[in-house]
Amino acid sequence: MALDKKTAASKPIEVAPSHSADMILPRQPGKLSLGRQTVIVIGSSTGGTEALRVLLTALPASMPPIVITQHMPEMFTKSFAVRLDALCKLTVKEAEDGERLQPGHVYIAPGHSHLLVKPASTIGYATSLHHGVPVNRHKPSVDVLFRSAANVIGKNCIGVILTGMGRDGATGMVELKESGAHNIAQDEASCVVFGMPKEAIACGGVHEVLPLAGIAPRLIALCAGRAHAD
């Protein structure tokens, strides 16, 4: 029997639970890899496809590996990577499971899985795909990527959070900072939605707040400084 309008209106709306990154992997502060390779991890959502285009096309091919979680349905992530690859000096691809992270390459999370970073079989890092539940109601989730980087890369990591709605990535940014990473957030004026960066800043997980156009030059400078330190 169909519900009448009054009964339908009073029926509570079911809201999916918002899981934390604990559902995918534990926080393990002492699990750092022996590798010294710099890795850049980036999280973005609403407005992120254009922000990533602006950022990545301004970077040279000599950059360290870049790993990205952009909230996007799975039918679009591969074509998005292909489009960026045609525009960038860097090699851009949709991430596959178990790929060793290579300098000059950008790995974009596929829309069907969380993207994590793990220690490679020797020294260095590799990708890992996880098909678990959504985190912060997103799969892929920025918090999952950032936590994995905090666990295994630590001070060798640079974290970037770009435009996006909600708070996915804020907790992960704090964990990155606690592990020794250097973190950058996009400023409000250049964001389409100042949700994710705002939450990361409010949580105390950010070292610098920069306009979108200023992030690429800063990343280049930070990576050059680390190369000279080595």
Side-chain angles (χ1 to χ4, degrees):
M1 182 189 301
L3 296 174
D4 59 38
K5 291 183 179 179
K6 184 176 179 181
T7 305
S10 63
K11 187 178 180 180
I13 298 172
E14 294 185 5
V15 178
S18 181
H19 298 296
S20 76
D22 293 337
M23 297 293 290
I24 307 300
L25 75 166
R27 175 75 176 104
Q28 295 178 303
K31 194 186 174 184
L32 294 177
S33 166
L34 294 175
R36 298 181 62 188
Q37 180 183 34
T38 296
V39 178
I40 298 169
V41 292
I42 301 175
S44 53
S45 186
T46 311
T49 54
E50 178 61 15
L52 288 169
R53 183 194 66 78
V54 172
L55 172 57
L56 295 177
T57 55
L59 294 174
S62 57
M63 296 297 289
I66 300 173
V67 187
I68 296 173
T69 288
Q70 158 71 37
H71 296 158
M72 183 182 283
E74 63 178 289
M75 66 282 292
F76 298 120
T77 47
K78 187 168 187 177
S79 60
F80 177 56
V82 169
R83 182 169 72 89
L84 285 177
D85 184 60
L87 297 172
C88 295
K89 299 179 183 71
L90 296 153
T91 298
V92 185
K93 69 184 301 295
E94 184 183 56
E96 300 174 59
D97 190 52
E99 293 183 273
R100 188 182 183 91
L101 298 189
Q102 300 288 344
H105 285 64
V106 179
Y107 305 86
I108 295 179
H112 54 70
S113 301
H114 297 297
L115 176 57
L116 296 77
V117 178
K118 66 179 182 180
S121 55
T122 54
I123 291 178
Y125 308 101
T127 59
S128 176
L129 299 184
H130 195 293
H131 301 287
V133 299
V135 169
N136 298 318
R137 301 194 176 94
H138 293 288
K139 186 165 73 173
S141 163
V142 180
D143 263 346
V144 172
L145 172 61
F146 284 2
R147 173 171 289 186
S148 72
N151 282 351
V152 302
I153 306 174
K155 66 181 182 179
N156 296 322
C157 189
I158 301 172
V160 181
I161 195 157
L162 301 175
T163 176
M165 188 177 298
R167 67 178 321 277
D168 189 30
T171 300
M173 267 236 132
V174 172
E175 293 170 355
L176 280 172
K177 188 177 182 183
E178 290 172 348
S179 73
H182 187 90
N183 293 338
I184 299 170
Q186 185 179 350
D187 73 354
E188 183 173 9
S190 64
C191 280
V192 172
V193 179
F194 188 54
M196 288 162 50
K198 180 180 179 181
E199 292 292 334
I201 294 164
C203 288
V206 173
H207 294 92
E208 301 180 71
V209 181
L210 298 173
L212 179 60
I215 296 176
R218 183 60 177 142
L219 289 176
I220 294 168
L222 284 169
C223 294
R226 289 171 181 230
H228 292 147
D230 290 343

